[in-house]
């Protein structure tokens, strides 16, 4: 049995029992209005992975890492799954505690999945630790398109355009985000010819692709060309 004491649960657009029902908890004798924060509810509940994950994820997102960590540390190992670990790792990354996130990451062992690896990768990139990101990326046993996009974006953020191209060319699959990441970065660093060549190769374009290309051409004095691209846009935003 796990005692959850003084659970901090924020209600926004829910009625007073929405979250409690989602946790399968009994209704307390307490008056709560919408947009009210519960700060003193004591429950004795059977620990379940779903309940624990819900609480840890939401506490982490709200920056309440001490409460999330306390709950995490009091869970039996059988009541933790990869979502539990990844939620807390992401919480530490969100507030910039990358080394603490890495300690947890190393403890997950064989339970890590591609989401866990990508969360840690993103943490290194957000902290401008590109060399750590490179090492982690090389160690990843499985990569998905989000992992590849994250590494490409990391190189672009650090001005390492050629390295970004290398990773982009190695990608086994690409989505429109992959192409837009490269396109936007090329435009931002003034490599309009490369951006235009990439744009013309794109198998699928969205409004972000078209807008990035139009903006890049216009900012580099190629107004007539920008207008031609603009006129070809299948959809436009404001």
């Amino acid at each position: 049995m796990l005692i959850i004491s003084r659970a901090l649960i924020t209600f926004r657009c829910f009625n007073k029992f929405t979250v409690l029902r989602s946790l399968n908890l009994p209704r307390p004798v307490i008056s709560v209005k919408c947009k009210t924060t519960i700060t003193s509810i004591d429950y004795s509940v059977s620990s379940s992975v779903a309940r624990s994950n819900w609480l840890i994820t939401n506490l982490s997102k709200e920056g309440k890492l001490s409460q999330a960590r306390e709950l995490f540390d009091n869970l039996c190992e059988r009541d933790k799954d990869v979502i539990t670990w990844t939620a807390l790792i992401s919480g530490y990354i969100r507030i910039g505690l990358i080394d603490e996130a890495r300690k947890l990451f190393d403890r997950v062992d064989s339970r890590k999945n591609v989401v866990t690896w990508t969360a840690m990768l993103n943490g290194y990139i957000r902290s401008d630790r590109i060399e750590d990101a490179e090492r982690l990326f090389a160690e990843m046993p499985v990569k998905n398109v989000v992992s590849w996009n994250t590494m490409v974006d990391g190189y672009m953020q650090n001005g390492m355009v050629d390295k970004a191209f290398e990773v982009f060319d190695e990608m086994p699959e690409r989505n429109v985000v992959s192409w837009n990441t490269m396109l936007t970065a090329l435009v931002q660093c003034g490599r309009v010819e490369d951006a235009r060549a990439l744009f013309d190769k794109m198998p699928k374009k969205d409004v972000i692709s078209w807008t990035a290309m139009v903006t890049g051409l216009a900012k580099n004095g190629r107004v007539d060309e920008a207008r031609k691209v603009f006129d070809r846009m299948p959809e436009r935003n404001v």
Side-chain angles (χ1 to χ4, degrees), residues 9 17-25 50-51 54:
I9 305 173
F17 297 120
T18 302
V19 177
L20 302 181
R21 282 200 303 270
S22 73
L23 295 174
N24 292 323
L25 299 179
R51 293 189 190 100
W54 190 93

Side-chain angles (χ1 to χ4, degrees), residues 10-229:
T10 301
F11 287 70
R12 290 187 173 86
C13 302
F14 312 107
N15 66 39
K16 60 186 177 182
F17 297 120
T18 302
V19 177
L20 302 181
R21 282 200 303 270
S22 73
L23 295 174
N24 292 323
L25 299 179
R27 294 186 178 189
V29 181
I30 186 170
S31 176
V32 183
K33 295 181 180 179
C34 188
K35 297 184 179 178
T36 299
T37 299
I38 297 177
T39 57
S40 58
I41 301 177
D42 291 338
Y43 284 111
S44 176
V45 297
S46 297
S47 177
S48 75
V49 174
R51 293 189 190 100
S52 302
N53 289 349
W54 190 93
L55 283 168
I56 289 171
T57 297
N58 283 277
L59 288 169
S60 297
K61 285 181 178 178
E62 293 176 6
K64 298 171 182 175
L65 264 296
S66 58
Q67 293 98 321
R69 184 59 186 263
E70 182 180 3
L71 175 58
F72 178 87
D73 288 341
N74 281 286
L75 290 174
C76 298
E77 286 302 312
R78 68 175 179 273
D79 291 325
K80 299 173 186 174
D81 64 6
V82 68
I83 297 173
T84 322
W85 288 88
T86 304
L88 194 59
I89 289 167
S90 298
Y92 279 117
I93 289 170
R94 198 173 288 112
I95 62 173
L97 296 177
I98 306 303
D99 291 333
E100 192 64 33
R102 182 60 196 245
K103 289 176 185 176
L104 279 173
F105 178 84
D106 289 338
R107 286 175 53 194
V108 185
D109 299 324
S110 60
R111 286 171 290 184
K112 289 191 281 277
N113 64 12
V114 68
V115 178
T116 317
W117 282 89
T118 304
M120 194 68 241
L121 179 68
N122 185 54
Y124 280 137
I125 287 171
R126 287 176 58 174
S127 302
D128 294 324
R129 292 169 59 169
I130 193 66
E131 292 181 358
D132 288 326
E134 285 180 315
R135 282 191 289 270
L136 189 75
F137 187 74
E139 293 170 6
M140 290 181 70
V142 177
K143 303 178 181 78
N144 62 14
V145 69
V146 178
S147 316
W148 288 93
N149 288 346
T150 301
M151 196 67 241
V152 168
D153 189 48
Y155 280 131
M156 285 301 200
Q157 287 180 30
N158 285 271
M160 303 167 71
V161 179
D162 292 336
K163 293 287 286 185
F165 261 118
E166 287 178 18
V167 174
F168 182 79
D169 288 339
E170 292 173 7
M171 291 179 70
E173 61 173 321
R174 301 167 186 151
N175 58 16
V176 71
V177 175
S178 316
W179 290 90
N180 284 345
T181 299
M182 288 294 300
L183 178 66
T184 303
L186 288 170
V187 166
Q188 288 175 348
C189 65
R191 293 177 57 165
V192 183
E193 289 297 334
D194 289 333
R196 184 58 197 264
L198 188 77
F199 180 80
D200 290 339
K201 291 178 184 177
M202 290 180 69
K204 182 179 179 181
K205 304 176 181 73
D206 61 11
V207 68
I208 296 173
S209 321
W210 289 94
T211 303
M213 195 68 257
V214 169
T215 302
L217 290 167
K219 283 186 175 180
N220 284 271
R222 296 162 66 165
V223 179
D224 291 340
E225 192 176 351
R227 181 59 199 235
K228 290 178 182 177
V229 173

